[in-house]
C-alpha cells in the first residue's frame, strides 16, 4: 500500500539559501510589477510588501519555515499582467 507520491517522507526543511533565492525572486517580481503599477491597485503591492517584511524578519530570526511561507505569500500577492 502506497503512502502517496512522497513515499511517506516528510517535506524537507527550508535552508537559508532557499530563503535567499525566494527573497531574490520576490525582488525581481516586485521590480517587474512596478513597471506595470499604473494598471493595478496599490493595495496589492502594499500587501505583498507587508508579507515580504514579515519574511525578512523571520529570516533574520532563523525562522526559516515562516520566512519561506511569507515570501511565497508575498510573491503570490504581487500583481502581474496576464500572459
Amino acid at each position: 500500500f502506497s503512502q502517496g507520491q512522497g513515499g511517506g517522507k516528510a517535506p524537507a526543511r527550508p535552508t537559508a539559501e532557499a530563503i535567499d533565492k525566494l527573497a531574490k525572486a520576490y525582488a525581481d517580481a516586485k521590480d517587474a510589477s512596478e513597471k506595470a503599477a499604473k494598471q493595478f491597485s496599490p493595495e496589492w503591492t502594499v500587501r505583498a510588501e507587508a508579507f515580504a517584511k514579515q519574511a525578512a524578519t523571520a529570516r533574520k530570526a532563523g525562522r526559516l519555515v515562516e520566512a519561506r511561507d511569507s515570501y511565497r505569500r508575498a510573491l503570490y500577492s504581487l500583481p502581474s499582467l496576464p500572459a
Side-chain angles (χ1 to χ4, degrees):
F1 145 14
S2 175
Q3 300 239 349
Q5 291 180 347
K9 295 180 182 179
R13 297 198 52 86
T15 63
E17 293 80 22
I19 301 304
D20 293 341
K21 285 182 183 180
L22 278 172
K24 182 173 178 356
Y26 169 75
D28 293 344
K30 184 176 178 227
D31 290 342
S33 73
E34 286 177 350
K35 292 177 184 173
K38 295 176 185 174
Q39 300 175 4
F40 300 108
S41 172
E43 287 84 10
W44 291 1
T45 303
V46 170
R47 180 181 170 122
E49 288 173 358
F51 283 131
K53 183 177 178 182
Q54 287 176 347
T57 302
R59 168 68 173 93
K60 288 178 187 174
R63 298 186 318 265
L64 301 181
V65 173
E66 183 180 338
R68 178 196 60 199
D69 293 346
S70 293
Y71 272 125
R72 285 180 179 171
R73 286 185 190 113
L75 278 166
Y76 296 145
S77 297
L78 283 173
S80 63
L81 293 172

